[in-house]
Amino acid sequence: MQIDYFYPEYEVVRNKEKCTRCGLCVSQCSNHVHSYSEEHRRMITDDAKCVNCHRCVCVCPVGALKITGSNHQFKHNANWSRRTIMEIYSQAETGGVLLSSMGNPKDMPVYWDKILINASQVTNPSIDPLREPMETKVFLGSKPASIERDENGRIRNNLPPHIALDVPILFSAMSYGSISLNAHASLVHAAVDLGTCYNSGEGGLHDDFYRYSANTIIQVASGRFGVHKEYLEAGAAIEIKMGQGAKPGIGGHLPGNKIVGEISKTRMIPEGSDAISPAPHHDIYSIEDLRQLVYSLKEATGYKKPIIVKVAAVHNIASIASGIARSGADIIALDGFRGGTGAAPTRIRDNVGIPIELALASVDERLRQEGIRGNVSLIAGGSIRNSADVVKALALGADAVYIATGALVALGCHLCRGCHSGTCNWGIATQDPALVSRLDPEEGRRRLVNLVSAWTHEIKEMMGGMGINSIEALTGNRLMLRGVGLNAKELEVLGIMHAGE
Amino acid sequence: MNIDAFAFDFQELNKEIKSSGQEELNIDNCMGQRYIGCGLSRGSLRIRGVPGNALGAYLNGADITVHGNAQDSVGDTMNEGKISIHGSCGDTPGYAMRGGKIFIRGNAGYRAGIHMKSYRDKCPVMVIGGSAGSFLGEYQAGGRIIVLGLGSDQPCPVGYFCGTGMHGGKIFLRCGQLPASLPDQVNAKLADDVDLQEIEEDIRQFCAEFDLDRETILDHPFHVLTPNTKNPYRQLYVHC
């Protein structure tokens, strides 16, 4: 007997009348759920191995497969859910720290869904983006505090370095190692086509991508993997990763079995060695220390690149951001607690940090109050799911947004949350060459370009509806937002009125 | 070429260094200017005075000599080259350095050699002539850290938590007694001849750099610390 045996969470349902036993599901499932029994001349499924990634369902040429949740259950208990009980069994058996993939799946408030966008009616006419110009270009970086003139009265160019994006959407950091080379290639090429940037993440930059520097943000994290002079030169901007929404306050750990071949080369560490990113940068214990890293990067790259400081949204995020805005950083990236990850301790992911909506609103407000909002641009991430989320983020104070989970979904991710296994059937969170080859970088590029182009058009329509014709005029324009079903405190933090007011 | 650093702030000084185009530069009257030699690929800098934090950060091949003390984060994320300090230095020298050598004649502060890593032909080396503060070689993933304890009256020339999180590389301590509280991930033993061969060249260079007697240094027991597994946290997690 096994105390923790539980009937599988998912059942693979095969329509025997449709199934032609072609065996495609067998060859496509890296989890070995499907097999064909010669002896019994029938298809066999091992439901216990199914992670519900839908690969077999999608490839089955006759539509014979579906995955359903099992109705096997514990006695109903609103407090002790199946997951809670199973986690205890698992920890009692192994003594291990629970580790999960992708963003927080818990039923926590999603403020985007409680915020509504305005539209003009009679006065301030709406704009038709199909027929009238609409500016979606954004410039990220610090803005000079004043206009300077030379002795002849001409305006002196005192503009600090910026990155110019055609759309207010960037692909956020996912390291090579946590995702595949083909996933990275899809992101890079899409960023080039879209006139935006993707982010290398903290695993270094693969040789193939050095040539796309105008569309690349390179990341420097506490482990400093793959960081060297040419790498620093290779980006349009440099991002210092202080924190990540999915795991605020802790570091990262790519296990040695994933440090193979090109990943070892790109991270510049030996094969098989764990890639440990310590929780803090051990040379940063204060804003002054952060300033030192910011300036050492500026010195190393000749003050030509804006420096981004990425932090997780936590309780005192407004004070933290105030410090960062005084550190010499040009851009602050805020990552909300629903942000994704290749792997994070479950308790941290699900319980630490705050929603990006509240963090963003309070940071924007604090920086304005202190008169330093112009010191930095703000990028908001940590679960931007659609173009309406983008518009709401901009109106709450963001200059642009980061998307990552959404981008992976566009590439085929079905959010099965099995990234840690390394057997991603969609060729995204895996380094198995056979699985990686399932993701065609050209197809990935096309789908990402489609997604962001469609969102951009929707953003233009929403902006047009409000009578706004540029992203700049939308950023921080909270009058364009109203809350529904939010209490007075939530509205106060968000800095918006209730619908009807 | 000589640069008198007295009148310059760090930006002006570093601009001057970069724009000089000279292979050999002497910087006099250094008064704590930061980021000197940041990312420098070639040539040599000879500094008199006290350079500020992040001296030689991302250093990529140049040679820096300091006739005086240095401050925090010497050789942060250094890739190649050499830094020698005739005095002592502050905290976190050699943070995440991947290649090149750092020689410190005197003492180093906390977290020396944190997250040093080696890769292929690159093997970073840091030799500390005196003693090192706590957290020496924390998260060390590769390379060699050597602490000689010259002039130290302590039985062991390092502070607490030496090698915490170490998962690669080696630490050589010139002492007859091990640090008081070695973490579980670290194996320690008396260095034998084979071990000592590994640091022979490093010691030779260190002695040549600071005009010290090699025999006196080597005629003393050394301990060598190594990680007891490359994957210290493999057993920690369970997926759910």
Side-chain angles (χ1 to χ4, degrees), chain A residues 90 96-99 222-224 227 229 265 268 272 274 276 282-283 285 292 295-297 299 303 420, chain B residues 11 14 18 35 38-39 53 58 60 76-77 95 98 111 114-115 117-119 231 236-240:
Chain A
S90 170
V97 169
L98 297 171
L99 203 66
S222 62
R224 307 276 207 274
V227 177
K229 189 76 176 15
K265 195 177 155 204
M268 301 176 86
D274 281 11
I276 297 173
H282 272 296
D283 51 352
Y285 288 1
Q292 178 179 310
Y295 272 88
S296 79
L297 292 169
E299 280 285 343
Y303 295 86
H420 57 266
Chain B
Q11 269 173 315
N14 293 324
K18 280 178 191 161
Y35 324 112
C38 205
N53 291 354
Y58 321 105
N60 205 25
D76 184 345
T77 323
Y95 184 144
R98 184 187 303 111
R111 295 205 149 90
I114 179 174
H115 221 311
K117 42 177 86 76
S118 59
Y119 174 66
N231 313 110
L236 184 65
Y237 298 111
V238 56
H239 295 285
C240 71

Side-chain angles (χ1 to χ4, degrees), chain A residues 126-349:
Chain A
S126 48
I127 303 166
D128 178 355
L130 286 178
R131 289 160 195 85
E132 291 176 74
M134 187 71 78
E135 187 58 88
T136 58
K137 211 174 177 76
V138 290
F139 297 87
L140 303 182
S142 182
K143 309 286 184 286
S146 61
I147 291 173
E148 291 173 15
R149 292 180 187 277
D150 63 17
E151 57 275 17
N152 300 319
R154 279 192 290 266
I155 292 176
R156 203 194 297 267
N157 182 0
N158 62 348
L159 197 66
H162 276 68
I163 40 177
L165 309 175
D166 290 340
V167 290
I169 300 165
L170 306 89
F171 299 125
S172 71
M174 290 178 281
S175 72
Y176 173 44
S178 72
I179 60 170
S180 67
L181 192 65
N182 285 2
H184 257 230
S186 305
L187 290 162
V188 181
H189 292 127
V192 171
D193 291 353
L194 290 162
T196 185
C197 285
Y198 91 111
N199 188 313
S200 71
E202 64 170 298
L205 187 61
H206 191 273
D207 285 345
D208 289 358
F209 305 140
Y210 270 77
R211 72 186 98 147
Y212 304 110
S213 65
N215 300 90
T216 304
I217 293 168
I218 55 111
Q219 203 178 53
V220 174
S222 62
R224 307 276 207 274
F225 298 113
V227 177
H228 54 98
K229 189 76 176 15
E230 294 86 71
Y231 174 77
L232 296 177
E233 297 286 357
I238 301 172
E239 181 170 274
I240 298 170
K241 179 190 180 186
M242 295 302 302
Q244 180 181 348
K247 38 183 167 179
I250 64 161
H253 178 199
L254 193 65
N257 58 13
K258 292 192 179 180
I259 310 291
V260 290
E262 294 284 294
I263 291 169
S264 146
K265 195 177 155 204
T266 306
R267 291 190 179 231
M268 301 176 86
I269 52 170
E271 294 205 0
S273 171
D274 281 11
I276 297 173
S277 289
H281 291 245
H282 272 296
D283 51 352
I284 300 180
Y285 288 1
S286 65
I287 292 295
E288 290 77 10
D289 290 348
L290 173 64
R291 184 179 179 83
Q292 178 179 310
L293 184 57
V294 168
Y295 272 88
S296 79
L297 292 169
K298 288 189 175 195
E299 280 285 343
T301 53
Y303 295 86
K304 293 195 186 85
K305 299 170 194 302
I307 308 292
I308 306 170
V309 174
K310 176 176 177 174
V311 279
V314 289
H315 299 178
N316 50 348
I317 187 65
S319 313
I320 294 167
S322 168
I324 298 170
R326 297 165 200 275
S327 74
D330 303 276
I331 300 165
I332 303 176
L334 298 168
D335 198 16
F337 85 139
R338 288 188 302 267
T341 176
T346 312
R347 292 293 170 254
I348 305 265
R349 182 194 66 173

Side-chain angles (χ1 to χ4, degrees), chain B residues 40-218:
Chain B
L40 212 60
S41 297
R42 57 198 180 86
S44 68
L45 295 178
R46 189 171 288 275
I47 300 166
R48 289 184 180 79
V50 181
N53 291 354
L55 169 75
Y58 321 105
L59 196 72
N60 205 25
D63 188 338
I64 299 177
T65 306
V66 180
H67 296 277
N69 295 325
Q71 298 187 342
D72 294 347
S73 300
V74 169
D76 184 345
T77 323
M78 172 172 168
N79 194 48
E80 224 175 301
K82 190 183 82 181
I83 300 177
S84 350
I85 295 159
H86 283 247
S88 294
C89 74
D91 297 340
T92 65
Y95 184 144
M97 75 186 277
R98 184 187 303 111
K101 298 197 171 187
I102 297 179
F103 297 124
I104 300 155
R105 172 66 184 85
N107 305 324
Y110 284 152
R111 295 205 149 90
I114 179 174
H115 221 311
M116 261 170 86
K117 42 177 86 76
S118 59
Y119 174 66
R120 291 195 177 170
D121 58 332
K122 290 193 181 300
C123 181
V125 174
M126 179 157 58
V127 187
I128 298 163
S131 57
S134 295
F135 303 102
L136 176 77
E138 194 179 21
Y139 296 107
Q140 189 183 355
R144 291 190 291 279
I145 300 173
I146 304 163
V147 185
L148 301 177
L150 303 172
S152 164
D153 53 4
Q154 301 296 315
C156 178
V158 301
Y160 300 112
F161 309 110
C162 177
T164 297
M166 184 177 183
H167 54 293
K170 288 182 181 175
I171 299 177
F172 290 84
L173 305 176
R174 183 174 167 273
C175 55
Q177 192 180 318
L178 279 172
S181 54
L182 277 181
D184 293 342
Q185 312 95 5
V186 173
N187 287 332
K189 60 161 194 157
L190 265 175
D192 57 26
D193 289 348
V194 179
D195 296 318
L196 290 174
Q197 255 173 23
E198 204 178 330
I199 59 169
E200 213 174 77
E201 177 58 17
D202 304 328
I203 299 291
R204 193 195 62 74
Q205 285 181 25
F206 182 83
C207 290
E209 200 71 35
F210 303 118
D211 199 19
L212 294 167
D213 180 38
R214 188 168 145 269
E215 295 303 319
T216 324
I217 288 174
L218 286 174

Side-chain angles (χ1 to χ4, degrees), chain A residues 346-366:
Chain A
T346 312
R347 292 293 170 254
I348 305 265
R349 182 194 66 173
D350 295 353
N351 296 282
V352 180
I354 63 171
I356 184 60
E357 303 90 324
L358 303 175
L360 172 61
S362 76
V363 166
D364 179 65
E365 180 60 25
R366 173 71 75 90

